[in-house]
Amino acid sequence: QVQLVESGGGLVQPGGSLRLSCAASGLTLGHFAVGWFRQAPGKEREGVSYISSGDERLYYGESVKGRFTISRDNAKNTVSLQMNSLKPEDTAVYYCAAVFKSLSYSDWHVQGWYDFWGQGTQVTVSS
């Protein structure tokens, strides 16, 4: 049974940092491209970041460029999202998702491509 489990969310002050982790069981995450998405209350889910498998291409949403960094650790079967300089507008439930193909820059944020999803972790940025 395939499972993706996000962790690392929590409450942080503006300007602070959090590191989210997506741990996989039942699949080798290194063989999959992984995307991070988020959904704020009353808003649609949006793509945050993406890492391909093999060539390790990295993509970021415009609102997080320069602040967030995605990486993978194949030995631990995880993909992480380092989030720095957090803003109140980053408050959302964050999800990781995996797809067994490489996506282009124009497609990585399209949720329908992804095969597996985690249950989400809450990130709240507030003073």
Side-chain angles (χ1 to χ4, degrees):
Q1 181 181 357
V2 173
Q3 267 195 315
L4 299 179
V5 179
E6 302 93 338
S7 62
L11 173 64
V12 64
Q13 292 187 342
S17 297
L18 281 175
R19 186 176 181 87
L20 304 184
S21 182
C22 174
S25 60
L27 60 82
T28 301
L29 206 53
H31 297 165
F32 287 73
V34 175
W36 282 97
F37 293 79
R38 68 185 181 185
Q39 187 166 21
K43 294 189 176 181
E44 293 187 355
R45 192 175 298 187
E46 64 172 351
V48 175
S49 186
Y50 166 92
I51 183 167
S52 67
S53 64
D55 60 359
E56 303 290 293
R57 281 176 289 115
L58 308 179
Y59 300 140
Y60 296 95
E62 287 298 321
S63 61
V64 306
K65 277 183 181 178
R67 299 188 298 124
F68 290 12
T69 303
I70 191 170
S71 61
R72 64 166 79 239
D73 186 335
N74 290 335
K76 294 182 179 179
N77 212 26
T78 60
V79 170
S80 296
L81 185 69
Q82 178 67 41
M83 307 187 297
N84 298 329
S85 303
L86 283 162
K87 305 175 182 180
E89 51 264 43
D90 294 318
T91 295
V93 177
Y94 284 71
Y95 302 87
C96 66
V99 55
F100 193 58
K101 65 178 293 182
S102 287
L103 301 177
S104 67
Y105 179 75
S106 61
D107 287 339
W108 71 269
H109 62 284
V110 178
Q111 299 171 53
W113 284 115
Y114 291 83
D115 303 308
F116 304 105
W117 288 82
Q119 83 290 347
T121 185
Q122 176 70 47
V123 171
T124 302
V125 185
S126 175
S127 54

